[in-house]
Amino acid sequence: MYRQGDVLIVPVAGEAVPSHVAEAPGEARDARGRMVLALGEVTGHAHAVTGPGRLVREPGPFGPMLLHLPEGGRVVHEEHAAIPLPKGWYRVVRQREYLPGAVRIVAD
């Protein structure tokens, strides 16, 4: 497992990835060519992945994100050290916080 700030990245065995995800189109990359995992609403900084691959978001506000890195990649952020990731599939989990009667994604 890898953590950078409020983003957790968990390796997933390739055979555990649903077939519809493996064939789904990936999210668009940002202007810098990165796959953005979490964008800081306050700072504008981003937890992002560089390198070849795809980021697939499942529907819904808390739907998981699955990241495929066929050659590996790096998680980067303006305020954190880069984290190298080996090739493979990953589940990306955003930290959430509980408020009485609600759950929300942590804002950066």
Side-chain angles (χ1 to χ4, degrees), residues 58-105:
E58 292 280 48
F62 299 114
M65 292 184 281
L66 290 166
L67 174 65
H68 183 228
L69 299 174
E71 299 174 20
R74 291 179 44 197
V75 184
V76 296
H77 186 278
E78 292 82 353
E79 297 174 338
H80 299 281
I83 300 172
L85 296 175
K87 67 180 179 178
W89 281 94
Y90 298 89
R91 179 175 301 279
V92 179
V93 181
R94 295 283 310 275
Q95 184 172 333
R96 299 177 183 111
E97 67 183 356
Y98 173 76
L99 303 169
V103 175
R104 73 177 185 102
I105 299 285

Side-chain angles (χ1 to χ4, degrees), residues 6-7 36-47 57 61 77-79 94-95 97 104-108:
D6 58 348
V7 176
V36 175
L37 307 179
L39 183 62
E41 296 85 2
V42 176
T43 64
H45 296 160
H47 296 280
R57 292 179 195 265
H77 186 278
E78 292 82 353
E79 297 174 338
R94 295 283 310 275
Q95 184 172 333
E97 67 183 356
R104 73 177 185 102
I105 299 285
V106 172
D108 186 16

